[in-house]
Amino acid sequence: MVVLIKNCRVFSPEALGKTDVLVLGDKIAAVGPDLSADFNGKVPVDIIDGSGLIMIPGLIDNHVHILGGGGEGGFRTRTPEAVLTDFTLNGITTVCGLLGTDGVTRNMASLVAKTEALNEEGITAYCYTGSYHVPITTLTGSVMKDIMLIDRCIGVGEIALSDHRSSQPTYEELSRLVADARVGGMLAAKAGLVDIHMGGGPRGLTMICRLIHETEIPYSQVLPTHINRSRDLFSEGLDWIKEGGYIDLTAYGLGKPSSDVPAAEGFTRILDQDPAFDHVTMSSDGQGSLPKFNEKGDCIGLGVGSSATILENIKDAVRKGLPLEKVIKPVTSNIASLLKLKGKGRIAAGYDADLVLLDERSLDLVGLVAKGRILVRDTKAVVKGTFEI
């Protein structure tokens, strides 16, 4: 396909001003003013007027239960699988799928199959091996083999710590797991990242800190997520990135009473204290269960995560005065760099043609291009998942 988007305010994520973007096939061919695509009428060109629109890189949601998740309240509480438009209508062009609490009825074979299905349907999808529990259940029999031999597998997760649903791994078990992920990633030229679910327990980041402080494993090998689930944990997270660590905020739904730190507040506090903002990412926990537990640990309520919360939280942060070029970095260039996703996270020549068009005033989604193909046009999904009605 040849797509030419004219007169759009482009954030690469850095602000580039009003300019044009030319897409050839699945790549960005050029970014600059007054571009043209004249093939003497021999090649059809889809020209989009970007006046009144903002263009940002396709969003990367690095923590999604693409198979569904949950089950903490019994079999009927297993959440549904994601479908293509759960992502495309919310600005997501790249996802990383994982398992959660349930690594029994949700398994690695099904996760890899779902990952491949999403790639076939039009977006880019990767996956992690394992689930909450250690020792983890892999597809090939080892962490290193999964990362090295399964093309779309780029790391391990989500491993649960400081949570009553965790398998309570020992320090030695966690160290060996992260070490194997690192070496597997190195040998396969992948990130080998270990995504770590942080619960609300009092131990917080203690085991992760010990792992990094007592071994040669670098900070970039582990990513504690749900770091803004409580104010105490978030404060630990601030200290963690100051010393070189990475944190992942969960884009919780807005307007719901909770003890979490909203993303806009989290970004503001991080920027005010001026640690490395490049070490901050954000994900949705999409399709994951959002259980509520009483003081005895019994599940008393359940919600379902949604990838829609990423764009919701971006808009909320901009409304509260934060610059757009900053708040999109955690879900574009920052996470692309950490996960070593070549060609992702930026609008520049040679990068993958993953583009999101937003209304300049409301920041509502208007259009989306993934791998050079228009999937959303004029707010409507023109391409849907195989079994979407």
Side-chain angles (χ1 to χ4, degrees):
M1 295 184 67
V2 180
V3 179
L4 179 58
I5 304 172
K6 304 282 292 182
N7 293 320
C8 201
R9 281 183 61 203
V10 176
F11 291 83
S12 175
E14 296 80 15
L16 302 183
K18 275 198 173 185
T19 191
D20 302 344
V21 175
L22 176 64
V23 173
L24 296 179
D26 61 356
K27 299 293 183 182
I28 298 171
V31 179
D34 303 318
L35 296 179
S36 64
D38 186 3
F39 297 97
N40 297 320
K42 296 180 179 180
V43 177
V45 180
D46 198 332
I47 300 177
I48 297 174
D49 182 5
S51 301
L53 300 179
I54 284 173
M55 181 190 295
I56 62 174
L59 304 179
I60 302 168
D61 194 348
N62 68 286
H63 187 107
V64 190
H65 297 272
I66 57 177
L67 283 178
E72 291 94 337
F75 293 118
R76 67 183 177 84
T77 63
R78 296 166 77 251
T79 64
E81 287 191 13
V83 296
L84 182 65
T85 57
D86 287 331
F87 305 117
T88 58
L89 289 176
N90 294 302
I92 311 295
T93 58
T94 301
V95 298
C96 192
L98 41 67
L99 304 177
T101 314
D102 182 4
V104 178
T105 67
R106 317 279 193 183
N107 59 62
M108 276 304 298
S110 294
L111 181 62
V112 171
K114 180 67 175 182
T115 301
E116 294 294 352
L118 288 170
N119 279 289
E120 290 177 8
E121 288 182 330
I123 63 172
T124 302
Y126 301 95
C127 65
Y128 297 133
T129 185
S131 61
Y132 269 22
H133 289 225
V134 178
I136 69 171
T137 301
T138 64
L139 189 59
T140 64
S142 86
V143 169
M144 291 178 64
K145 286 182 180 179
D146 274 16
I147 294 173
M148 292 180 64
L149 302 179
I150 301 172
D151 181 43
R152 296 290 174 174
C153 181
I154 59 174
V156 177
E158 59 180 311
I159 304 301
L161 295 180
S162 300
D163 194 297
H164 61 92
R165 294 165 291 175
S166 166
S167 59
Q168 312 306 328
T170 65
Y171 169 73
E172 288 73 20
E173 287 176 317
L174 182 66
S175 299
R176 177 57 57 85
L177 176 61
V178 176
D180 285 351
R182 173 165 177 76
V183 174
M186 293 173 65
L187 294 173
K190 298 178 181 177
L193 182 83
V194 179
D195 179 283
I196 300 182
H197 162 105
M198 295 306 307
R203 287 177 294 174
L205 296 174
T206 301
M207 192 178 289
I208 297 175
C209 292
R210 181 184 173 192
L211 170 71
I212 300 302
H213 295 161
E214 295 184 6
T215 73
E216 296 73 35
I217 293 170
Y219 288 98
S220 58
Q221 213 64 48
V222 294
L223 182 63
T225 189
H226 315 318
I227 203 76
N228 54 326
R229 71 159 61 246
S230 73
R231 297 190 174 274
D232 288 343
L233 184 60
F234 184 73
S235 293
E236 283 190 73
L238 288 179
D239 293 336
W240 181 239
I241 54 175
K242 283 179 185 177
E243 68 170 77
Y246 293 76
I247 60 172
D248 185 60
L249 279 67
T250 300
Y252 294 113
L254 303 177
K256 298 176 182 178
S258 68
S259 59
D260 65 77
V261 177
E265 179 186 338
F267 291 157
T268 300
R269 290 177 62 184
I270 293 166
L271 289 168
D272 283 349
Q273 296 191 26
D274 198 31
F277 196 68
D278 288 350
H279 284 212
V280 179
T281 66
M282 180 171 68
S283 59
S284 72
D285 204 12
Q287 302 307 123
S289 67
L290 304 176
K292 296 179 181 179
F293 297 99
N294 62 20
E295 64 279 358
K296 298 179 181 179
D298 298 323
C299 182
I300 57 174
L302 195 69
V304 181
S306 169
S307 288
T309 56
I310 288 184
L311 191 52
E312 288 176 6
N313 277 270
I314 288 173
K315 289 192 280 189
D316 181 58
V318 172
R319 282 195 299 265
K320 291 176 177 174
L322 294 176
L324 180 63
E325 58 265 36
K326 282 289 187 181
V327 299
I328 61 174
K329 287 186 70 176
V331 286
T332 57
S333 58
N334 286 6
I335 188 61
S337 176
L338 184 61
L339 290 181
K340 299 183 178 180
L341 304 182
K342 294 180 180 178
K344 302 294 185 184
R346 289 191 170 276
I347 298 175
Y351 276 69
D352 291 353
D354 295 339
L355 310 169
V356 174
L357 295 174
L358 306 173
D359 180 88
E360 194 169 24
R361 294 190 177 187
S362 66
L363 296 185
D364 290 341
L365 184 85
V366 175
L368 179 139
V369 177
K371 295 189 283 193
R373 185 182 179 199
I374 298 173
L375 303 186
V376 178
R377 186 193 289 268
D378 297 328
T379 75
K380 306 295 183 184
V382 296
V383 176
K384 294 185 177 181
T386 306
F387 298 104
E388 290 190 75
I389 299 174

